[in-house]
Amino acid sequence: MKIYIVRHGQTNCNKEDKYNCRYDEDINEIGIKQAENIRGKIKELNIDLIICSPMKRTKHTCKIINANNIPVIYDDRLIERDGGILTNTIIDDYYFKEYYNYYSKNIVEGLETLPDLFKRTHSFLNEIKEKYYNKNILLVTHGAVARTMQFYFEKMPEDGMLLNVSGQENCEIKEYELWN
């Protein structure tokens, strides 16, 4: 069973170095071009099902890349991390010191903790492993969600600093093997 994870195309928040979080904006012109550029790669993959975050930027990306008209399920567990009061604000030093620190105790108002995000995304992966065993699944999601899913398949850094490990660029495709 293969899991392919695609992060949505670029948004204006991405371009402006803002915390996108759950600000529900669409992809911009660059994001559309990014999605068009990976459409051919996605078309060549043997995908049985697409599961997509129901946010505008992921839905639009999914519509563009779904060249083979694969069935799509929308699942709220793929929604981006809740950024609380950080949503749609300029990324600052907190981002580099605390936002992607699994062990951070310096949580701002309304921010979904990384342990909670890990729990949400890893339980989702456990469920699709059981429900869709032997199927190849494409997930269309967000940066923080993709980053936490990465550590379902790879060992998390001991210091909990997830930003020090490669993340996922807009419209980058990552492939993982999922065993039952």
Side-chain angles (χ1 to χ4, degrees), residues 54-150:
M55 297 188 83
K56 289 177 188 173
R57 57 192 180 266
T58 47
K59 287 170 80 173
H60 193 173
T61 300
C62 183
K63 182 178 179 183
I64 294 169
I65 66 175
N66 190 4
N68 294 331
N69 294 312
I70 305 297
V72 178
I73 296 172
Y74 297 98
D75 194 304
D76 287 344
R77 293 172 292 177
L78 293 179
I79 287 176
E80 182 59 294
R81 183 180 185 188
D82 190 342
I85 63 171
L86 296 174
T87 301
N88 201 21
T89 64
I90 297 292
I91 291 174
D92 56 9
D93 285 344
Y94 180 84
Y95 183 84
F96 300 100
K97 294 177 184 170
E98 303 294 336
Y99 189 79
Y100 278 114
N101 178 349
Y102 185 87
Y103 301 111
S104 179
K105 301 293 183 207
N106 186 15
I107 303 298
V108 298
E109 183 183 330
L111 178 64
E112 182 178 13
T113 67
L114 280 175
D116 285 345
L117 183 58
F118 267 68
K119 183 178 178 182
R120 171 164 57 99
T121 59
H122 290 200
S123 68
F124 169 81
L125 289 169
N126 285 334
E127 181 181 310
I128 65 170
K129 179 170 62 172
E130 289 181 24
K131 193 171 185 179
Y132 301 110
Y133 184 69
N134 283 334
K135 303 270 186 206
N136 294 324
I137 311 291
L138 173 67
L139 306 177
V140 184
T141 191
H142 307 269
V145 172
R147 190 178 294 267
T148 59
M149 286 182 167
Q150 175 181 344

